[in-house]
Amino acid sequence: MTPAREPAGLLTLAEAADLLAEAFAEPRSDVRHRAAALAARAGGPTPVGRLAGRLRRLAEADVADADVEFARLFLAGRGAVAHPFESAHRTGRLMDPGCLAGLDDLFAAAGVRPGEGGNPADHLSAELDFLALVLRGIVDAGRGGEAHATLTAIASKLLDEHLAPFVAAYTARLDLLGPAPYFSAASELLVEVVESTSRHVALLLR
């Protein structure tokens, strides 16, 4: 990854994380137009791994009855579900204090108040929103300064200690439930975003 491509790649990943945060937060969300627009840019002068292909699959997915499917997959009280909370996958219980404390520390280090978006800090959408914010902050800070180093370290810890293991467990659970095409495509994109962002951030730490 060259310095010229670093900001564009991080901004593409930030936007992908942002649209996924919406997809996994709202029963009636439809991010297909955003995915199509981002795919066109990701596949152009600033390719980011396999991201463009994953975005195109999401853009072309059938979204019929997405709100019903959202309830089946993610809402408790409806049989087997894929809880969109890290605590559920880390400890087997919701709102686990240890998990939340670790995230609260990261949010605070970035000057962000947990729960500002309406969801607990360990909700998938909250973590993705936070990742997008930190990635944009890294780009805005520019290389070489203290802010860049601090935000890169925050992104690395968020990915390594929270999002990477969380997303691995979450998407495995989701696959067992046989999601409809829209959420299946979103799940594949989620894995790609976390893996690609981890690679980018690791390069920044060298």
Side-chain angles (χ1 to χ4, degrees):
M1 180 177 60
T2 65
R5 287 185 177 237
E6 176 196 313
L10 289 177
L11 289 174
T12 299
L13 289 164
E15 189 167 345
D18 188 61
L19 73 84
L20 283 168
E22 180 183 342
F24 286 109
E26 298 294 335
R28 297 183 183 277
S29 69
D30 183 353
V31 300
R32 291 179 301 168
H33 291 300
R34 291 179 63 189
L38 186 56
R41 299 201 299 279
T46 57
V48 184
R50 295 176 295 180
L51 198 66
R54 302 295 191 213
L55 285 161
R56 281 192 293 271
R57 180 166 182 252
L58 178 58
E60 296 164 2
D62 183 3
V63 77
D65 298 323
D67 54 342
V68 176
E69 181 70 346
F70 186 98
R72 180 181 78 85
L73 295 172
F74 309 126
L75 298 186
R78 294 175 176 266
V81 297
H83 285 291
F85 298 95
E86 183 184 347
S87 295
H89 300 278
R90 182 185 288 266
T91 67
R93 58 183 180 144
L94 298 177
M95 302 293 288
D96 178 72
C99 180
L100 290 171
L103 287 165
D104 287 349
D105 289 344
L106 288 175
F107 277 60
V112 177
R113 181 179 300 171
E116 285 185 344
N119 284 314
D122 74 329
H123 191 284
L124 178 61
S125 293
E127 293 192 28
L128 289 170
D129 276 334
F130 182 53
L131 177 64
L133 182 148
V134 172
L135 293 179
R136 292 183 177 114
I138 291 171
V139 173
D140 290 344
R143 266 188 175 272
E146 183 179 347
H148 185 279
T150 297
L151 290 169
T152 302
I154 290 171
S156 179
K157 192 165 186 176
L158 174 66
L159 288 158
D160 292 347
E161 297 183 10
H162 295 278
L163 269 171
F166 175 19
V167 165
Y170 176 73
T171 54
R173 177 65 173 168
L174 192 56
D175 287 348
L176 291 175
L177 298 176
Y182 180 72
F183 289 108
S184 176
S187 176
E188 289 183 1
L189 177 60
L190 175 62
V191 171
E192 186 61 43
V193 166
V194 170
E195 291 180 351
S196 187
T197 306
S198 294
R199 290 192 297 269
H200 274 62
V201 170
L203 287 172
L204 294 179
L205 292 171
R206 289 183 179 177

